[in-house]
Amino acid sequence: MNIDKIKSVYFVGAGGIGMSALIRYFLSKGKLVAGYDKTPSDLTKQLNEEGALIHYDDNVDLIPEVCRNPLETLVVYTPAVPSTHTELSYFQSAGFEVMKRARVLGEITGCTRGLCVAGTHGKTTTSSMIAHLLKQSHVGCNAFLGGILKNYDSNLLLSETSDLTVIEADEYDRSFHWLTPYMAVITSADPDHLDIYGTAEAYRESFEKFTSLIRPDGCLLMRKGIAVTPRLNTGVSCYTYSASEDGDFHAENIRIGNGTIVFDFVSPDGVIKDVELGVPVKVNIENGVAAMAIAWLNGATEEELKDAMQTFQGPKRRFDFRMKTDRCVLIDDYAHHPEELKASIQSVKELYAGRKVTGIFQPHLFTRTRDFAPEFAASLSLLDELILLDIYPAREEPIPGVTSSIIFDRVTIPAKRLCTKAELPGIIEAGAYDVVLMVGAGDIDRLVEPVKQILEKR
């Protein structure tokens, strides 16, 4: 791929969060950018306002004329798009250079020093933290993120001086194997995407393969206790981290209360005292330790790290406080794996000890629901009250016998109910709520604002 020779870039599946960062990158390089997505969203509307030409019908006739020259157009697609897609089939049969998103990201970032964050969960927040810490320091960075970072209202950060690039390394479809990390972080490796990998062993093996891609002058930072055996090249350093008093980098003297979390950051070189989290949820202690470790390894100073940690606002939909009063709290979170869900619920219950926590959860994918129904039920049973929505199918067709009921029936708390998205507003209007946690990776985010408006009227 020679970016200088490309005049236009066409995206099939333009509305994905990872695709949108690439769209913004090519727009910044002066390329004409167009594409297709299945449905309009706030993100696609924003991309259109920024200069992208995105439409929502799978129709070859809607492809702009400027994107019809195979010698001057790069076509980027996401593996979530089916092979039967009309526009994608047109480009493939007409001799265009057609690349997966992950390969394009790997080629763009291959000539920089990549700081690549991988993991079943925690990677979006951790990579966003690293980006913010470095951006606010004298070091600087570029970043391709998997969430819209609220500090910048974007998932793309560019620098004219730094050759460091923060990258969220996605394990879906083995996408992260296209990357060549300078430094890599593994936050977790709990089995997921078994529709792709088949077994938990194959899933973890993909992370071991990822560690073998780290440059010989680089390093791996891995959360203590992860069941992954690194395959490091000669010269690659290896560090561990944790939220407890263990690991090369860790937290100690943790203080949680009055809506704040403060801790001391311990590195091999010493201690940074009284680090305050800008997004005060317990799971961010661990994410913060990892982010501070990478920023510290790249030269950020103690004061820069403390200041940036306190001003970090987080990515949208990651412990996103949408309402925060003495009477009611509403939090929006992207968690869609049982371990993520468990961490999310435990963090909220600790932050608001003694208050009733109601969870509104939308399962994501039929296969994930089928493969982890008991684990989902165990996590959801930590709530005081559960409202469980129908499964969001995303790219999948229904599987006979797989519905939200296979989770619901296993949930042990008595205060639980199933409902559709259409029924949810009426349920919220009729009930009494204290702390509400809305969770899921589907379209539950479109229900957050209506729920917020109902809660505000009380």
Side-chain angles (χ1 to χ4, degrees):
M1 179 182 71
N2 188 330
I3 292 176
D4 293 335
K5 291 184 178 179
I6 295 169
K7 292 186 178 179
S8 61
V9 188
Y10 194 88
F11 287 82
V12 184
I17 192 68
M19 294 284 266
S20 65
L22 288 178
I23 288 174
R24 287 174 162 141
Y25 172 80
F26 283 112
L27 286 171
S28 76
K29 296 297 180 183
K31 310 300 181 184
L32 186 138
V33 177
Y36 157 89
D37 200 71
K38 190 174 182 179
T39 54
S41 65
D42 291 341
L43 182 54
T44 57
K45 291 173 186 175
Q46 191 169 351
L47 292 172
N48 275 319
E49 290 170 1
E50 292 172 20
L53 306 173
I54 300 172
H55 62 263
Y56 307 99
D57 293 318
D58 180 13
N59 185 342
V60 172
D61 292 339
L62 297 177
I63 299 170
E65 192 62 36
V66 71
C67 296
R68 292 176 179 269
N69 185 340
L71 300 178
E72 297 178 343
T73 301
L74 170 67
V75 178
V76 186
Y77 73 102
T78 169
V81 173
S83 58
T84 55
H85 192 275
T86 305
E87 293 183 13
L88 182 59
S89 299
Y90 161 76
F91 286 118
Q92 289 171 330
S93 62
F96 285 78
E97 188 169 25
V98 180
M99 291 187 182
K100 285 185 180 180
R101 179 196 67 85
R103 181 180 174 187
V104 176
L105 179 60
E107 295 210 16
I108 289 172
T109 61
C111 58
T112 67
R113 288 186 295 157
L115 309 176
C116 304
V117 183
T120 315
H121 38 84
K123 57 182 175 287
T124 298
T125 298
T126 303
S127 57
S128 296
M129 275 185 177
I130 294 170
H132 180 63
L133 295 182
L134 291 174
K135 196 72 175 175
Q136 295 301 310
S137 77
H138 72 284
V139 180
C141 71
N142 306 276
F144 291 82
L145 304 173
I148 304 298
L149 188 46
K150 290 195 281 186
N151 292 80
Y152 310 95
D153 195 29
S154 184
N155 53 348
L156 174 70
L157 303 179
L158 296 174
S159 170
E160 294 182 358
T161 56
S162 177
D163 72 333
L164 293 170
T165 302
V166 182
I167 303 163
E168 181 171 329
D170 186 6
E171 79 277 11
Y172 176 71
D173 198 35
R174 298 177 173 83
S175 292
F176 58 174
H177 291 171
W178 288 102
L179 302 173
T180 309
Y182 167 57
M183 294 185 178
V185 181
I186 299 180
T187 63
S188 51
D190 301 307
D192 197 7
H193 303 300
L194 298 186
D195 56 319
I196 298 293
Y197 287 98
T199 66
E201 291 72 24
Y203 182 79
R204 292 194 180 100
E205 193 279 333
S206 73
F207 281 87
E208 295 176 359
K209 166 72 174 177
F210 172 68
T211 67
S212 74
L213 304 175
I214 301 171
R215 291 170 26 170
D217 60 339
C219 74
L220 169 66
L221 176 68
M222 193 161 70
R223 184 174 62 79
K224 190 87 171 177
I226 291 179
V228 168
T229 303
R231 304 175 191 169
L232 302 179
N233 292 311
T234 302
V236 177
S237 303
C238 187
Y239 301 96
T240 59
Y241 76 94
S242 76
S244 59
E245 297 180 14
D246 194 13
D248 299 308
F249 298 90
H250 61 266
E252 63 182 22
N253 191 24
I254 298 168
R255 288 144 281 166
I256 301 175
N258 298 319
T260 65
I261 296 179
V262 181
F263 64 93
D264 297 343
F265 170 75
V266 181
S267 75
D269 255 11
V271 180
I272 300 177
K273 291 186 175 295
D274 302 327
V275 176
E276 183 176 345
L277 288 176
V279 182
V281 288
K282 189 174 182 180
V283 70
N284 277 349
I285 300 172
E286 187 172 86
N287 295 332
V289 169
M292 290 180 71
I294 292 296
W296 177 83
L297 288 167
N298 283 285
T301 69
E302 176 176 337
E303 286 306 311
E304 288 172 340
L305 291 173
K306 284 187 68 172
D307 291 346
M309 285 297 290
Q310 189 172 8
T311 60
F312 178 71
Q313 296 175 20
K316 291 181 179 178
R317 302 220 60 229
R318 268 70 175 185
F319 283 101
D320 197 347
F321 286 85
R322 299 295 299 273
M323 180 179 173
K324 198 174 185 181
T325 69
D326 293 338
R327 182 176 47 80
C328 189
V329 176
L330 175 62
I331 303 168
D332 179 25
D333 193 40
Y334 189 73
H336 56 284
H337 182 278
E339 288 300 318
E340 288 177 329
L341 201 55
K342 179 181 177 181
S344 180
I345 294 167
Q346 288 178 332
S347 292
V348 173
K349 294 210 73 172
E350 184 156 3
L351 195 63
Y352 294 101
R355 297 178 66 173
K356 186 181 80 168
V357 177
T358 300
I360 304 171
F361 178 58
Q362 181 189 49
H364 183 260
L365 299 178
F366 293 104
T367 53
R368 185 180 284 124
T369 303
R370 176 198 65 197
D371 294 339
F372 300 108
E375 292 83 356
F376 275 120
S379 297
L380 292 168
S381 296
L382 298 172
L383 292 162
D384 299 308
E385 180 180 29
L386 168 66
I387 300 172
L388 186 61
L389 301 176
D390 294 335
I391 296 170
Y392 182 79
R395 58 187 178 270
E396 294 183 340
E397 295 298 321
I399 297 173
V402 178
T403 69
S404 292
S405 293
I406 68 172
I407 296 174
F408 184 83
D409 292 343
R410 292 178 168 95
V411 172
T412 58
I413 57 173
K416 61 178 183 176
R417 67 186 301 168
L418 282 167
C419 80
T420 65
K421 289 185 293 184
E423 293 170 335
L424 181 63
I427 290 171
I428 300 299
E429 285 180 347
Y433 301 97
D434 187 358
V435 178
V436 179
L437 174 64
M438 298 186 67
V439 208
D443 60 359
I444 189 174
D445 60 312
R446 300 186 185 189
L447 299 172
V448 174
E449 188 60 31
V451 169
K452 178 185 175 184
Q453 290 176 9
I454 294 168
L455 294 174
E456 286 176 336
K457 290 178 182 176
R458 293 180 179 278

